[in-house]
Amino acid sequence: MTISAQSVTTAPTSGIISSGIVSSGVELDVDEFGPSFGAELRGIDVASASDDEVRAIRRALIEYKVIVLRNQHLDDAAHIEFGRRLGDLTVGHPVWDSGDVPDEVYSLDSADNGFADVWHTDVTFMPRPPMGSILRPVVLPRNGGDTNWADAELAYLSLSEPVRTLIEGLRAVHDGSREFGYYLKQRRGGKGNEWDGREVTELPPVTHPVVRVHPETGRKSLFVNPGFTSHIEGVSDAESRGILDLLYAHLTKPEHIVRHRWRLGDLVLWDNRNTLHYANRDYGDNRRVMHRITLRGDEPVGPSAA
């Protein structure tokens, strides 16, 4: 199958991609991770990529949700420059101070509690979570530290119809204070970073639809995650726990997951609007440092508003 690098159709599709190439005047060799999502794009150097190649990469990101590019030995400046060619960038994180790195970089350093060993979707505790993320390793342990992604679109499609009907009108509360509230208050003195034009001084809970409609494809996906979703609005605590536990167990079924073993020079992009991810914390006292930049997103919209 040839995937054009032009704008993506808004018509809902099955979400199943057949093998082939991504093409836009140039052809990118695609090695798919599985039958539903995830792929490695081979034969491209992002530091010298043409505009057509960058458009093809972005189209591949929308179609495959998670894409890997090997042998991309970038520094922070080149990492940021590539991100800017794909879209507008946010600061690295609304709250976290990553130290002596550019503002656009979020440094996850295991020596400074930089772990991500809980299933989550990046920054859903803000009104406009990132559209996508671009991650590269800086320091890797000898082994361990793999990252897993779950396909929230496939998970939605594989739910039974009665459960899809139950959840489509629900909204969930996302609360960043559980993870970052103490840090913001105590280590940052109540002054975080600038996000969407405003300095973050507190982390009030926000609500998002449980089922999100992708703004570029029209496809539906689950938009809750154990890292930041606290509860579902309008139901009892017991009902909220029951619904969320059901969705989390379903999201993280093996058939919804791909796993990546990191090598220095890797660059991984994912669509934050229809995936969750989890970094294995299985490398003991060895150090693991990852640098991430994020693409600016929009306010999540549910089926009733789409």
Side-chain angles (χ1 to χ4, degrees):
M1 176 182 178
T2 299
I3 303 175
S4 168
Q6 305 306 313
S7 59
V8 182
T9 177
T10 57
T13 69
S14 67
I16 305 301
I17 308 298
S18 59
S19 60
I21 57 175
V22 177
S23 176
S24 178
V26 295
E27 293 182 354
L28 304 182
D29 183 15
V30 177
D31 182 14
E32 297 178 339
F33 290 170
S36 62
F37 85 122
E40 179 181 343
L41 304 185
R42 299 183 295 200
I44 186 168
D45 175 14
V46 301
S48 60
S50 68
D51 290 344
D52 281 345
E53 287 174 322
V54 171
R55 283 192 291 269
I57 290 170
R58 195 183 189 284
R59 177 59 193 261
L61 173 62
I62 301 305
E63 292 296 339
Y64 290 102
K65 308 181 189 76
V66 178
I67 56 174
V68 173
L69 298 103
R70 301 277 196 182
N71 301 313
Q72 311 293 323
H73 295 281
L74 308 178
D75 58 14
D76 285 335
H79 191 176
I80 291 167
E81 176 60 26
F82 173 61
R84 286 178 174 152
R85 296 184 71 188
L86 288 172
D88 294 332
L89 298 185
T90 69
V91 294
H93 193 274
V95 173
W96 194 264
D97 180 3
S98 290
D100 189 22
V101 296
D103 291 344
E104 296 88 350
V105 173
Y106 177 32
S107 178
L108 294 106
D109 188 341
S110 62
D112 188 24
N113 202 37
F115 304 106
D117 55 335
V118 61
W119 282 105
H120 67 286
T121 299
D122 288 336
V123 198
T124 61
F125 55 87
M126 299 301 286
R128 288 162 50 100
M131 167 264 172
S133 299
I134 309 173
L135 185 68
R136 80 180 208 277
V138 178
V139 177
L140 287 175
R142 184 174 65 85
N143 49 44
D146 295 0
T147 300
N148 310 267
W149 283 269
D151 185 344
E153 180 183 306
L154 178 61
Y156 169 81
L157 289 171
S158 61
L159 283 170
S160 66
E161 183 61 36
V163 176
R164 290 202 300 266
T165 300
L166 169 68
I167 64 174
E168 281 209 356
L170 298 178
R171 294 184 65 83
V173 176
H174 296 243
D175 189 354
S177 64
R178 300 190 303 171
E179 180 71 18
F180 297 109
Y182 180 85
Y183 176 88
L184 174 61
K185 183 176 180 180
Q186 299 299 324
R187 291 186 58 178
R188 299 298 308 273
K191 293 184 178 181
N193 303 316
E194 185 176 295
W195 190 271
D196 282 338
R198 297 179 59 184
E199 183 182 54
V200 177
T201 58
E202 56 182 354
L203 294 170
V206 299
T207 63
H208 298 307
V210 171
V211 176
R212 181 176 187 175
V213 177
H214 196 288
E216 296 184 66
T217 68
R219 302 170 188 160
K220 298 175 183 178
S221 64
L222 299 177
F223 199 66
V224 291
N225 68 89
F228 300 122
T229 304
S230 61
H231 63 280
I232 293 176
E233 283 189 328
V235 302
S236 70
D237 288 344
E239 290 168 332
S240 175
R241 287 194 301 271
I243 294 169
L244 288 174
D245 285 349
L246 181 157
L247 296 179
Y248 295 156
H250 185 71
L251 275 161
T252 55
K253 291 172 67 175
E255 55 264 41
H256 299 149
I257 293 173
V258 295
R259 176 170 172 164
H260 178 63
R261 185 174 186 181
W262 292 95
R263 299 195 303 236
L264 291 177
D266 287 352
L267 192 67
V268 177
L269 297 73
W270 65 90
D271 193 327
N272 202 56
R273 298 167 292 189
N274 50 18
T275 62
L276 297 82
H277 55 283
Y278 179 106
N280 293 357
R281 188 175 174 179
D282 56 355
Y283 42 90
D285 294 332
N286 292 295
R287 193 178 181 200
R288 180 180 186 268
V289 181
M290 312 293 285
H291 281 190
R292 188 195 78 194
I293 62 174
T294 53
L295 300 167
R296 191 176 308 280
D298 49 18
E299 185 176 348
V301 172
S304 61

